[in-house]
Amino acid sequence: MPYSFQRRDAGEGQGDVGKGTPHHLDTHLVDNHRSSKNAATRTRETTTTPTATKAWVKAGGQRLKSDLVAHNVALPPAKSRKEVYVELHLKHIDQKNAADFSSDEDEDQVQYVADEEDAGMPDPRGLTDDDLMAALLEHGVNAGPIVASTRAVYEKKLRKLLQSDGRGCPNGVEQGVLKKKGINRRNQHNQGATSATCRRPIKGAAGRPVQYMYPDTPASPTTLERREVERRLVPVQIQIMTMTDSGTKFKIFKCLKIIISSLLIAALLLFTIASVRTLSLDVNVGLKLARWEKTSNISLVIDDPQREQLLARFKEAIRIPTVSFSGEESNTTALLEFDSFLRKAFPTVFSSSLVRHELVANYSHLFWVPGLQSDLVPYLLLAHIDVVPASESDGWEAPPFSAKEIDGFIYGRGTIDDKGALMVGGYKGAMNIVRLLKQRGVQLSFVLDEGLAVLDGVISGLEGPAALLEENPMPRLFGQGPERGTFEHLAHKFGLPMKFIMSNLWLFAPLLGRVLERKPDTNAFVRTTTAVTMFNAGVKVLELIRSTVGDQRVKLELVDGFDPLPVSSMDEAAFGYQIIKKTVLDMFPTVTVAPGICIGNTDSRHFKDLTNDIYRFAPIWFKPGDAQRFHGINERISKKNYEELVVFYFSLIQNCDIQKLPTPHGSIHEL
């Protein structure tokens, strides 16, 4: 019995091939050794084609190998003859299946029923893109988008599919599709010619086609795995096309990814630097732990009689209304009265041979104490006795010039500003004193004037009080002036996250500046403050105001003004700053000393040609709300604080009695 390899497609019909109607695509492989006479009769129209014979022998050999692999039979060497494979199959599987492969041993005796090469093959090039996709779908191929770059591939794929269905003769479905789409078969002019037609199927009993099919051979695990992988694969052309179409989006995504990664790396680097600085920054150490040249001072022990005498003198000074109504107008009668008071209160100072006294411009006093080493640069302690006007009708709890004592506080104008320092100043006094010192060629190491105080509970979040030394008028740009030193000196006394922010103003200055400008009390730390009729600012602000107003009808006149003073030094080599700092810490060990910002001006501004370092500080304690008493109502000072003020100046003068500052020490050197 001959064995037939036959493909049957669902929906196929039969017809006259010569007329191009749908027909079967039957391919028969006949074994001459076993064919009967009837079989020979049925195959007399077949032709022997060596190419086809080799193809089927190769196909049979591959099936035999696959069958052996599927049954876990080790294959012989690659060059072994087919008898070896058949013998292995007979031995390990069964004789029946092996017999299926034994009939094609002799390639010369195999006959293949085929048409001429590509005879009558439809040309897919005549299809539109949609028709080509439809034809591929008919063959079970899920094709991707058909464009210029992929069309040739899909045309070739369709042509191969047509060739596999009877060597170029389409089956019934394909004929219907191709005919419907209007595709002309090649060699259409040869219709009816026997050399260009497909063979009719071999008939068996009852006129039915012979349908002996080659038995299905189980696929090997390797083959099954390969088929599963191939089923999931997408054609390479489609992948390339997809990448080409989405190239722009891919580039944008890649660019965004690089940018985001760079930002994250930069943020991590900044965070690391800021963290290291936060943990290591403690600018309050420095000379705090250094070994000073002079280790002991004369202690000022104030007993009760002395205390009563000090308070009595201070109250008498408050009761003298030394009011300055303007820069040119003062209560001269009160100033002359205060002159007599000073001479009576401190007779030793005025009569001592160690102290030189000069009356300057009738009302100002200059006291000069020469040192033993005349080559050392002197310093100046500056204060004023004139006060701003005050009236009991403003709402004072006690008359402003009564020096009344209430709950341990002495009330009166000048208790804070500035009779407590027991020195003098003012336009006439300070300017005339400066003129006199210039004539004598005097240069000063530093000047200490009134200014900020010891703030206790005023700064929210600060652990403990802080003494702020005002160094210069307010700068215009927050974070680039001495205010940076203020916050960095205080940073280690704050908890997180404020400690982290204040230790790194190089990074967070804009953020902190926005927070400060929201409150009137701290807005002056950020920018120059102005009023409608008067500007408390430097002369450079005048041009800014003119450009802002932009109206010729508005007249601007400079009454008086000057540019901001230079920033006073505050490093470990700054003699005045370190002396003041040491004196404060000797008296108040828990206090944090930091440079401050002067948002107003004092008489010390006139001394800018005599020194580069002007400090404005007095050890007056400010509790919450006390800052409003300065030049306001209910100005007061506690009796204890006034006594501390006296001790401070007593210690400061002794601390200045050294030739040079010691070498700075950090906390690590003391361990």
Side-chain angles (χ1 to χ4, degrees):
M1 176 69 66
Y3 302 98
S4 171
F5 292 82
Q6 183 181 40
R7 170 173 174 166
R8 296 293 303 274
D9 290 330
E12 290 180 342
Q14 296 182 2
D16 190 348
V17 177
K19 296 182 180 180
T21 57
H23 60 283
H24 283 287
L25 297 180
D26 295 324
T27 304
H28 304 275
L29 180 63
V30 182
D31 188 344
N32 290 335
H33 293 286
R34 300 184 181 181
S35 60
S36 63
K37 179 179 180 181
N38 292 335
T41 303
R42 287 196 298 269
T43 59
R44 62 174 177 266
E45 295 184 354
T46 62
T47 59
T48 303
T49 57
T51 302
T53 302
K54 293 180 179 180
W56 281 109
V57 170
K58 181 178 181 181
Q62 291 298 330
R63 290 177 179 270
L64 181 59
K65 292 180 181 179
S66 300
D67 200 13
L68 292 172
V69 172
H71 289 78
N72 298 322
V73 178
L75 298 179
K79 296 183 179 180
S80 302
R81 293 183 60 82
K82 191 167 185 179
E83 294 91 336
V84 179
Y85 291 93
V86 174
E87 183 178 353
L88 287 173
H89 195 283
L90 182 62
K91 178 180 179 182
H92 295 284
I93 304 176
D94 59 71
Q95 182 176 2
K96 179 179 179 299
N97 290 340
D100 294 339
F101 298 96
S102 62
S103 61
D104 53 359
E105 175 66 30
D106 188 357
E107 297 180 0
D108 295 335
Q109 296 180 359
V110 178
Q111 294 180 330
Y112 177 64
V113 181
D115 296 329
E116 292 183 352
E117 184 71 14
D118 293 334
M121 175 65 64
D123 191 356
R125 291 178 297 179
L127 292 170
T128 64
D129 292 344
D130 293 338
D131 295 339
L132 179 57
M133 180 176 288
L136 290 169
L137 289 175
E138 291 290 344
H139 284 78
V141 178
N142 293 324
I146 298 178
V147 294
S149 61
T150 62
R151 181 178 175 87
V153 177
Y154 287 122
E155 288 177 355
K156 182 177 180 181
K157 190 172 188 67
L158 179 58
R159 188 176 295 111
K160 288 184 176 181
L161 290 171
L162 296 176
Q163 289 176 348
S164 66
D165 293 332
R167 304 292 297 173
C169 297
N171 59 30
V173 175
E174 293 159 355
Q175 280 283 20
V177 173
L178 296 176
K179 183 175 182 181
K180 181 179 180 181
K181 302 302 180 181
I183 304 175
N184 295 322
R185 296 170 50 127
R186 290 188 298 169
N187 299 323
Q188 192 69 21
H189 59 280
N190 292 327
Q191 291 183 2
T194 57
S195 60
T197 60
C198 298
R199 299 298 183 182
R200 293 182 179 273
I202 299 176
K203 303 295 183 176
R208 292 189 296 270
V210 178
Q211 300 185 23
Y212 293 100
M213 304 297 296
Y214 185 81
D216 292 334
T217 304
S220 66
T222 304
T223 303
L224 293 175
E225 182 179 357
R226 176 179 57 79
R227 290 176 182 174
E228 180 64 21
V229 172
E230 291 176 349
R231 185 180 66 83
R232 298 180 181 180
L233 290 179
V234 179
V236 177
Q237 293 81 0
I238 297 179
Q239 294 180 0
I240 296 175
M241 178 196 66
T242 305
M243 292 180 65
T244 302
D245 293 344
S246 61
T248 303
K249 294 182 180 179
F250 177 76
K251 290 180 180 178
I252 294 175
F253 175 77
K254 185 177 181 180
C255 184
L256 290 175
K257 185 177 180 181
I258 293 175
I259 293 175
I260 294 174
S261 300
S262 301
L263 291 176
L264 290 176
I265 293 174
L268 180 60
L269 180 61
L270 290 176
F271 179 78
T272 303
I273 296 174
S275 299
V276 172
R277 182 174 176 81
T278 300
L279 297 174
S280 61
L281 182 65
D282 186 0
V283 295
N284 200 42
V285 179
L287 294 175
K288 177 181 177 181
L289 303 175
R291 291 184 173 87
W292 290 74
E293 176 184 336
K294 191 174 183 178
T295 58
S296 62
N297 292 335
I298 299 175
S299 299
L300 178 60
V301 180
I302 303 176
D303 54 22
D304 290 338
Q306 290 176 324
R307 183 174 296 106
E308 291 297 328
Q309 186 181 28
L310 286 174
L311 292 176
R313 290 174 180 174
F314 179 59
K315 290 179 181 179
E316 186 176 352
I318 298 300
R319 294 188 183 104
I320 302 175
T322 54
V323 177
S324 291
F325 302 98
S326 67
E328 300 295 331
E329 184 181 0
S330 301
N331 187 343
T332 56
T333 302
L335 291 176
L336 290 175
E337 182 183 355
F338 197 83
D339 176 85
S340 300
F341 162 72
L342 287 177
R343 296 177 188 273
K344 181 180 66 175
F346 305 102
T348 304
V349 174
F350 283 88
S351 62
S352 174
S353 59
L354 300 177
V355 180
R356 300 176 185 176
H357 169 259
E358 295 181 54
L359 184 64
V360 181
N362 299 323
Y363 309 108
S364 299
H365 299 264
L366 175 62
F367 298 89
W368 181 273
V369 182
L372 297 178
Q373 294 180 318
S374 58
D375 58 329
L376 296 179
V377 182
Y379 60 95
L380 177 69
L381 305 179
L382 180 63
H384 63 85
I385 59 173
D386 60 326
V387 297
V388 298
S391 175
E392 187 175 356
S393 62
D394 294 335
W396 285 70
E397 297 180 19
F401 296 102
S402 65
K404 184 177 181 180
E405 184 177 332
I406 303 176
D407 296 332
F409 287 88
I410 300 174
Y411 283 73
R413 179 64 82 215
T415 52
I416 297 177
D417 183 28
D418 174 41
K419 289 182 178 179
L422 297 179
M423 298 296 289
V424 293
Y427 271 102
K428 294 181 180 179
M431 293 180 65
N432 283 296
I433 291 175
V434 169
R435 187 180 299 111
L436 179 63
L437 295 178
K438 281 185 177 180
Q439 291 174 358
R440 297 175 180 175
V442 175
Q443 288 293 313
L444 301 174
S445 173
F446 69 91
V447 173
L448 177 59
D449 193 12
E450 62 170 330
L452 278 180
V454 180
L455 307 181
D456 187 10
V458 176
I459 303 177
S460 178
L462 180 65
E463 299 175 0
L468 301 184
L469 311 180
E470 292 183 336
E471 299 174 344
N472 70 318
M474 187 202 72
R476 296 189 180 96
L477 297 176
F478 180 78
Q480 300 182 13
E483 76 281 358
R484 178 170 177 173
T486 302
F487 289 98
E488 289 184 345
H489 276 72
L490 297 177
H492 68 287
K493 289 292 185 177
F494 281 83
L496 295 174
M498 287 303 301
K499 180 178 181 180
F500 183 79
I501 294 175
M502 295 173 66
S503 299
N504 297 278
L505 285 188
W506 60 274
L507 182 61
F508 296 110
L511 174 63
L512 189 57
R514 287 186 175 273
V515 174
L516 293 176
E517 69 182 2
R518 295 181 179 180
K519 296 183 178 180
D521 295 343
T522 55
N523 183 47
F525 282 84
V526 181
R527 59 173 55 83
T528 298
T529 57
T530 61
V532 176
T533 58
M534 183 177 293
F535 301 94
N536 185 19
V539 294
K540 291 184 179 180
V541 178
L542 190 62
E543 292 301 324
L544 176 62
I545 299 301
R546 284 199 179 101
S547 62
T548 302
V549 174
D551 193 335
Q552 297 297 329
R553 297 173 297 177
V554 179
K555 302 300 181 182
L556 299 176
E557 180 183 359
L558 178 62
V559 177
D560 184 37
F562 54 90
D563 286 330
L565 301 179
V567 177
S568 302
S569 57
M570 54 183 177
D571 55 23
E572 293 177 339
F575 185 87
Y577 181 83
Q578 295 297 338
I579 290 293
I580 299 171
K581 180 178 178 180
K582 172 178 171 53
T583 305
V584 172
L585 294 176
D586 286 345
M587 292 186 62
F588 314 111
T590 61
V591 168
T592 300
V593 179
I597 305 172
C598 182
I599 58 177
N601 280 291
T602 67
D603 296 329
S604 59
R605 67 182 183 274
H606 302 295
F607 289 83
K608 63 183 180 62
D609 295 332
L610 302 182
T611 181
N612 293 325
D613 295 330
I614 300 175
Y615 304 102
R616 300 172 178 88
F617 171 76
I620 299 175
W621 288 73
F622 275 6
K623 300 287 186 177
D626 285 343
Q628 285 74 23
R629 302 178 189 272
F630 190 87
H631 286 193
I633 63 174
N634 292 324
E635 183 179 347
R636 69 182 187 179
I637 188 173
S638 68
K639 294 188 296 182
K640 178 184 178 182
N641 195 187
Y642 173 70
E643 186 175 324
E644 290 171 340
L645 195 66
V646 175
V647 175
F648 173 79
Y649 285 106
F650 187 82
S651 300
L652 178 71
I653 294 173
Q654 294 186 76
N655 288 333
C656 286
D657 190 19
I658 59 174
Q659 293 188 4
K660 62 180 181 178
L661 294 174
T663 303
H665 281 203
S667 58
I668 190 173
H669 298 116
E670 299 298 318
L671 298 179

